[in-house]
Amino acid sequence: MKILKNRWIGLSMIVALAMVLAVGAACSETSDEDESETRGTLYLVDQDWNGQLVTTAVMQILLEQEMDHTVATKFAPADSAPLFIGLEKGDFHFVCCNWPSYSAALLEEYVDADDGAKVERVGPVGITGETGWYVPSYVINGDADRGIDAVAPNLRSVSDLNEYKSVFATSDTGTKGRLLEFTAAWDTKPAERLEAFGADFQEVFAGSEGAALAQVDAAFQRGEPVLTYLWEPHWAHAKYNLVQIEMPDWTSDCYPGGSNYNCGFPTDAVAKLAWPGLKDEFPEAYQFLSRFKMTNQQQNEIVLNLTENDLTVRQAAQAWVDANEAVWRACDP
Ligand SMILES: *[C@@H]1O[C@H](CO)[C@@H](O)[C@H](O)[C@H]1NC(C)=O
C-alpha cells in the first residue's frame, strides 16, 4: 500500500512537472527514474550526408542530456532498402531526414502500403529540400577581380548545355560535358535526365558528399568551370556563389510521380520516419521526436560551423544546442 501511495505521489509530481514544462512549451521532459533504468538503447540512424548527421546529433544530445535516454547511432545509406528493412524490424528506431522524392518506391512499399504501414511516417522535420544542378557564378558572369572570363555567358537552362559542352568536358568525359554527381546509391537519375534534356553530357560520381565537395572546392580555387548536382539547404551555398541551372518545372507526370524525365526535381518536404514500435517502447522520446523541428537555416549554420571550423559532428551539434536553448525548448523554431 505504501509503495502504491509513493508511486502515486511520484506520478502526480511528474504530471505536475510536465504541466509546468508544457507552459514553457518545453520539448524535452524530465524522465521517470524507474523508466530510465529499464529502458533499452534507442537507435537513431546516421546517413551519408552532413545535414542529416548534425540533425541526428542534435536529437541525440537532447535525448541524452535532457531526457536521460541511452542513445546510439547505426549507419544506413540514405534512401536504401537496408534503411527501410531496419526500420521495419526495429534494428533502427528513428531516422530524421527522409527526402521523399529520393525513395519513392521504398515509401510506397514500406510506408504507404495498402496492407498497412511497416514503417511509420512521424511527420515533417521542418526542412524543405530543393535539388538541382549548379555552376559557379563566374562561369556565367566572370569574375574581374580574379581575372576569370565568363566561359558560358548565356547558360541559363538545361537547353543551353550543349552550346557549352566543351567548356565542361574533362579527360574522363571526352567530347561530352561533365556532370558531377555524388553517389550512385542515391536515386538522382542523372543519365535519364541528361537523355531527356538531349544534353551531350556524362555523369561522373565522386563517391560521396565529401569527395564531390572537394572537387567543387578545387574548381573554385582554380576558377575552373564545374557543373554539379547539389541541393538546398546546403552549406556550400554560403561558401560559394552558385547559380542553379533552370529545368522544366516538375509536374505530376514527372519522375518520381510518373516516368517523364524531362523535368526538374520536385520540392521535398523532408520527413521523419520511425520503427512502428517506437511509440510504445520509448513513449517520451517518441513525443519529443514527433515535435522536434529544425529549419533549413539552422541545419545550414551547424554544418557550416562544422566545415569551416573543423569540428566533429558532435562538437558542432553540441555548440548549437548550447547556444540555442530558447530555440530547442520552444521546439517549434
Ligand atoms: C560554432 O562553434 C563554436 C565552437 O567551436 C561555437 O562557439 C559557436 O556558437 C558555434 N556556432 C553555431 C552557429 O552553432
Side-chain angles (χ1 to χ4, degrees), residues 175-253:
T175 60
K176 293 176 178 242
R178 182 177 193 264
L179 167 65
L180 176 61
E181 282 276 333
F182 285 39
T183 159
W186 300 349
D187 224 1
T188 53
K189 308 283 184 201
E192 290 85 347
R193 282 182 219 275
L194 286 170
E195 191 187 344
F197 298 150
D200 193 20
F201 274 60
Q202 172 74 48
E203 74 280 11
V204 175
F205 291 96
S208 69
E209 181 186 19
L213 266 298
Q215 290 191 29
V216 171
D217 191 77
F220 264 84
Q221 300 302 328
R222 295 193 292 259
E224 285 174 358
V226 62
L227 171 68
T228 185
Y229 153 89
L230 192 64
W231 65 88
E232 298 179 52
H234 197 288
W235 60 270
H237 301 286
K239 186 166 184 188
Y240 309 113
N241 188 356
L242 293 161
V243 176
Q244 189 172 358
I245 304 301
E246 292 165 18
M247 295 179 183
D249 284 344
W250 187 89
T251 51
S252 56
D253 65 328

Side-chain angles (χ1 to χ4, degrees), residues 298 301-302 305-306 309 311 315-321 323-324:
Q298 289 159 352
E301 73 187 29
I302 307 171
N305 207 9
L306 172 159
N309 299 320
L311 304 179
Q315 285 168 337
Q318 185 74 58
W320 187 86
V321 166
N324 291 276

